[in-house]
Amino acid sequence: MLSTEAVDRSRWVVSFGSGDCSQSELLGGKGAGLAEMTSLGLPVPPGFTITTDACRAYVANGGQLPEGLMPQVVASIRDLESSAGKCFADPENPLLVSVRSGAVVSMPGMMDTVLNLGINARVAEGIARRTGNGRFALDLHRRFLQMYGNVVLGVDGARFEEIVQDQQRRAGVLCSADLDCDRLGYVVTAFEELISEDTGRQVPNDPWVQLECAIQAVFESWNNRRAVEYRNFHGISHDLATAVNVVAMVYGNLDDQSCTGVCFTRDPATGSRKIFGEYLTNAQGEDIVAGTSTPRDISHLAAEMPEVYRELSDIAGRLEGHYRELQDIEFTVEQGKLYVLQTRAGQRSAKAAVTVAVNMADEGLITRDEALLRVNAGQLDQLLLPTIDESERVKARAEGRLIAQGLAASPGGATGIVAFDADTAVDLSGQGIKVILVRPETSPEDVHGMLVAEGIVTSRGGTTSHAAVVARGLGKPCVAGAERLEVSPARGYLRGRGITVRDGEEITVDGTTGEVFVGTVASTTPDTSGEGDLSRLLQWADEARRLGVWANADNGKDAQIALDMGAEGIGLCRTEHMFFGSTRLSLVREMILSAHGLSRNPDDPDMRGRLKESLARLEEFQTSDFVDIFNVMDGRPVVIRLLDPPLHEFMPDYDELLEQVVELRTRGTDLKSLAEKQSLLSVLDELRESNPMLGLRGCRLGLKFPEIYAMQVRAIARAVSKVSAEGKKVQPEIMVPLVAHGREMARLREALESTIKRYMDDTGAEIEYKIGAMIELPRAALTANEIAESAEFFSFGTNDLTQTVFGFSRDDAEAKFLKVYLEDEILPEDPFKVLDRRGVGQLMRTATMLGRHTRPDITLGICGEHGGDPSSIEFFHAEGLDYVSCSPYRVPAARLAAAHAAIKAASASGSNAPADSTSAQARATNGVAC
Amino acid sequence: MLSTEAVDRSRWVVSFGSGDCSQSELLGGKGAGLAEMTSLGLPVPPGFTITTDACRAYVANGGQLPEGLMPQVVASIRDLESSAGKCFADPENPLLVSVRSGAVVSMPGMMDTVLNLGINARVAEGIARRTGNGRFALDLHRRFLQMYGNVVLGVDGARFEEIVQDQQRRAGVLCSADLDCDRLGYVVTAFEELISEDTGRQVPNDPWVQLECAIQAVFESWNNRRAVEYRNFHGISHDLATAVNVVAMVYGNLDDQSCTGVCFTRDPATGSRKIFGEYLTNAQGEDIVAGTSTPRDISHLAAEMPEVYRELSDIAGRLEGHYRELQDIEFTVEQGKLYVLQTRAGQRSAKAAVTVAVNMADEGLITRDEALLRVNAGQLDQLLLPTIDESERVKARAEGRLIAQGLAASPGGATGIVAFDADTAVDLSGQGIKVILVRPETSPEDVHGMLVAEGIVTSRGGTTSHAAVVARGLGKPCVAGAERLEVSPARGYLRGRGITVRDGEEITVDGTTGEVFVGTVASTTPDTSGEGDLSRLLQWADEARRLGVWANADNGKDAQIALDMGAEGIGLCRTEHMFFGSTRLSLVREMILSAHGLSRNPDDPDMRGRLKESLARLEEFQTSDFVDIFNVMDGRPVVIRLLDPPLHEFMPDYDELLEQVVELRTRGTDLKSLAEKQSLLSVLDELRESNPMLGLRGCRLGLKFPEIYAMQVRAIARAVSKVSAEGKKVQPEIMVPLVAHGREMARLREALESTIKRYMDDTGAEIEYKIGAMIELPRAALTANEIAESAEFFSFGTNDLTQTVFGFSRDDAEAKFLKVYLEDEILPEDPFKVLDRRGVGQLMRTATMLGRHTRPDITLGICGEHGGDPSSIEFFHAEGLDYVSCSPYRVPAARLAAAHAAIKAASASGSNAPADSTSAQARATNGVAC
């Protein structure tokens, strides 16, 4: 809150003629726009703005209008009167005004406005007399009472509507414009009675009192609940405050030569270059919003009022040229005379954003850097994924087909047959049937099912659960943590909101909204017609950015997608994802059981043999997987992470097996099967951990069971040899996960190098490679200088780092407490989505500094979920990382975000001024530096 | 490794007359001692020392004696000849020597020695001639062959013993001293044959070759496996190397006027002031060690050789005075002439350490600070706990009663009847029966059983598992993680090493060694006769230390123990430990179920009522518990931690309940019970977490279920009022656990303060309190400045901080990988026992700095397991913390360790020299700065 002392008390009010658009902090976005248009000589009705300073003073004074304000308002009204040639509160030639809120940052629909202010019974009579149009006068009075009663006195708006609709019903008409004078007169009386009954108060007759109360009401609306929540949600400062615009009324509802409308300077859906909009004849602005009449397409205006249309087109062109941005313009025509009431940057679809930005740059209206900044990186997802049709969604809801509302874990929509386990999903998909995999939660064991599914639904886990992370990586829709959904794989059904869906039935998942529907809800496949524009924009982004953009991919197919999306390397290839599929999984289990057996009894020759055999067979699979990826990436770097997850993730589920054992034991029939299962259960019990995230995983596996990493590294070496022999280049980078101590890294480096050396000695091959560390534990960051002694690169695993820095389990946090934390604003953001700069970021900075201290040319990347988040990318750019790696489908957004970061950083250092978020926000409202 | 370039090649050898005890780095401990005694004029046989430089050069040269060494040795032998009046390798008047290893740091029994070197058949004949004692000559030859064959040529020592024993059997004698010449002659021949058969080599006849090979063998022994392991275990540098002492032989085995012995200057068991030791007539030193003859108590020497005894007493006094430390002296008497062969600081029991230190200070021999430094803080445990008798343990092992070897999780010994669950333990204990609680692992649910048990055994979990931590807190013996022990509570047995123990049978647990025995093994209760000395020493410690020592205690009884042990406050009162006991536990479960229900459906009036009711009843219990503690602590600070553990820890075990449900379901008989259990199971499932350590616990509980903390704080306020009303002072400090973000702390502070204010307003009471944060997550440390805004104190929870900094789950790490890490030296120490200064310590330093930046007078303590660890305490002192808090029974050790830290820090800053660990270790060998 600014100190009221600092405010210039002589200037609570600024007339449209003396402001301009650089003053939006003081005048609000709308006020600054009106002032700017006035100074451009556009036909704006006369008016003035009560400043945001006044609003802040009002709030600071505990809801008292600041001293001196009303006298200045009165003086300004006098100026208005002389411009308009009418007189406020004078029944003979009455001036009516609108009182509109106008915040610095646009908060559409959040705050209040009163139109037609200054009317009372006597003034209405005067208007009727002067215009010869009694119906018009009554209509104005009715509109005023409705808005004032609602906004200033707090009467529920619906109750006014009921009265109007009742009269329409009685009159047999569909629209208030068709009510005759009698009925309108009745409505006015009924409104007055409603207000009096509901509030015990009356609408003041005195226009000056009306004005003062309306100004106060607009100020109050700054802190109404929905406005506060909106600002919280969008991260807008509560100190910005709202201005109030008082404008002479012009009447779109005066007659058939009058109308009101909105238009965009380009098509906000496609971005194409033509005026786009709609209007309503004989109406005021709120009639369009209310949707009670159907407005006509703007193209009809050319026929109806050709002069007006020409002037409007001309003004639209001038405003776009002036603001260098797509404009959303409100206008009113009063008896053939055009007035512009507002202009602002227009909302647009992702597709339009891209096309408009590219076109404007081509037209020379904006620079390429500006074009890049005009497109929000987050929007790009919409361009690349199928989405549920909005109208179909509404219909499906209305039909009661919504069975669950979970977390929007991975965007996009898909329809398919329900499969409750990965194997069924694979079977069905093999028959060409589209499936949706539905599980209580997923684990790496389910990945082969996820690979073939169209979409995924889980009843447990947050937006950073296994299901969500894998789905995003695969670019598949996912709804996670649909907690009220009962999922019973054992009995083959899911149930929610009273609806039961069984095996073989169809559902639709919308990962953009978190909804799950029974049956089909149609979705739109991505409209790639604007692809040319997108790819040009992304080329510009590539030229602008410094940060490399790599992708996470675990197989050749994903690597190809990554490449198509513009990835410059693979920043994370999770070898464990190659361990799934039924043949492989049984080998992995054999490997685990024998390695575990050996760790208990190192001299068991049988176990030794079984381990050797399973590793040898797995090595073949891994080698061929690496060959695929290296072939695709042809010379680009590929970071391969050695085995990371706790081993029990590869084993059958403990609880399920326990159930089987108890069942068999209780029945007492099949003793052989019982004995087998019991023995497996006891091994699973040994493998179980209280906190697997903090357990035997990552490099701890590599150090405890050296054979496993040796096998993986041999597979890499063999794949490199094979692909190199075909004349391709290969740049393998071997990454050791979950390092906490320099000595872990030193030991493993030694072991891995000696394995590769042995391979080279045996085969005569020459293999170039790097070995590096995944920095995902606080201790690794704090001792990065020691780790860098054995690591040629670091890749920050920000998911795990966030887990340990906060002590938040990624799998549990969202459902258990993080939702509450975000709702109650204990945390500003979900740290698994937007990097926590104070904590996690601080450790990254430490690690970057220490790592470079030991090894100045160390390569630094990041491969956590944050690698695809624009705000986090900005931080990574600022911290001087070399690249980010994200899911293939997020690569375009990351390229754009990286460009944004570079452009913003350059402009901040160029202007040499710290970024002022308020004025930046203010500029953003109109996308303009005017 | 020192560079060999740096070594002065002219000085590989130093004679006893030209060295002193300041040179132990160069001469080894033994060599320096011999040199020092020589310079003091004590009767030391002539000799010289081959330096550690020579050994390092030998190792660096790949096992080649450094150039110039042997010529210097030859020259030194010449000097020896002239001192001794004998001639090396000369059969006419032969000089024999001993070749003894002598490392810088004592490594008793780890390295090699050859006595009687220089003998061969001709030399032996010469000795026989000269002494007129053929048997003596044969005995020397036999002894030489045995040691040389073993040490230099590597023949198994047992095979020599077999030959000797065979001859003893044939001769019908019990001791080699009683073998006649014929038999000794046969033994010499048999030894030579054995060596030749076994190694294909012969013992060299040439004494010079013998000497060179023996020197080499001693150098080699520096890197033999047991020596390397010993150094690893004790953290001794592998670069120190060993010296070799070559000493003219004196013969305790010459006749009955000859003997050999060891003596301590004070009683090493009790510390009392009298010479203590034993000797063997007509013997060499190794006969005492071998235990083949029974030595006589030193007191008999006074009668047998009064002159010698007087001289020995005199020398003992001089050496103790000179070294200002209890000495362990080796001596030999040859025909009535006393020789001193070695002196070093004597090992002693904990009791003796205390008594000797206090007495020496009283005698003015050492300062009080030195007295404090003479007692190892870790030893104090022995003084305060019952311990298993060593001889009884050996017997029990021999009887095959050892059923498990687990981790030594909490020291002390105890015997009792096996109880497999907490309730049974409580029942039996109520009947006056001593019990040992045996569980696969423990959870807070078992605490009421642990409270009444004599000792605890678990088959899972490490030395920082729940069982271990609680047991140490209670001062009860605990063996944890006895992995090979099969524990089946359901079927009422435990089984290990083929022995099955059932309900109601007796076992003995030794938490000092990790052993579990079936039946009784007698233990000694603490010998508190030296208590006067201990309490004086601890008073001195209190005067010397700066760091406060507080204790962790959860009830009045423990608080009383803490106070008796000298605690100055309660640094951690875990309120959840008050939640056990069957009445309370069912209330806690009711509270959890209703709070959980409300979080899903906030408007359920039934749930609301149940929550209120259970909280009200728990509040009564908590209030009375707090009253007890406040009463005991009477004005001293009491830090009360609000509820911390994940709620499912209070609930029935999921797997057990699942088993019951499946069993009931399979049987299909008791549907009512099935439905009940199923519904509970589904709630447990909702409460379950993948990684509970990182889940809904700590302040997250307080923020999600505000009623719980409000109840706890109200209970504190009521208890304060009550105790204050009785005229006592109360200093409650309310601690919020698991804070990660300043906003969590701010919110909770506001909520807790308003609860207390409401209580004060309602009752008119005035309550003084502090509110602080437990710093146990990396993010809390990194943002401690923000947290300190709402916290008047910090207490570092180093257990959890270590977990998250390393990403190690405390419950799993030890068994799953930490054991491997420590064995393979990937980690130097268990970070859950000894604070990791580089990682965890660095974050503590950051937090300390940031916390003090915000609030210069913030109180900083630490309440993790490390609060009782001497090495960690040294760090906490250096970091400027205000206090440590540990288990009541570790308070004395902590007081002493805190004094050590202060004294060492003062002396380091006084001498202004960085601590040189090598010379510090060297000095420590003789406890002396000579």
Side-chain angles (χ1 to χ4, degrees), chain B residues 694-739:
Chain B
L694 307 177
L696 178 58
R697 50 174 287 239
C699 69
R700 300 160 196 172
L701 289 172
L703 286 158
K704 183 163 179 179
F705 307 118
E707 300 86 352
I708 299 178
Y709 279 12
M711 176 276 284
Q712 296 197 292
V713 168
R714 222 163 20 239
I716 294 170
R718 289 175 57 193
V720 172
S721 296
K722 198 159 173 190
V723 176
S724 305
E726 291 162 16
K728 291 192 175 178
K729 274 199 168 178
V730 191
Q731 272 198 57
E733 306 195 358
I734 300 165
M735 180 155 74
V736 178
L738 213 72
V739 176

Side-chain angles (χ1 to χ4, degrees), chain B residues 111-161:
Chain B
M111 288 162 53
D112 293 331
T113 284
V114 181
L115 301 183
N116 308 305
L117 185 139
I119 205 166
N120 55 30
R122 286 187 55 226
V123 168
E125 279 162 28
I127 292 172
R129 266 199 310 279
R130 220 180 148 78
T131 58
N133 188 341
R135 205 205 148 278
F136 168 62
L138 283 167
D139 190 43
L140 291 181
H141 199 187
R142 183 276 296 178
R143 286 174 187 269
F144 169 69
L145 290 172
Q146 185 164 358
M147 290 183 96
Y148 191 95
N150 174 237
V151 168
V152 182
L153 300 176
V155 180
D156 182 359
R159 301 188 56 190
F160 295 105
E161 276 311 314

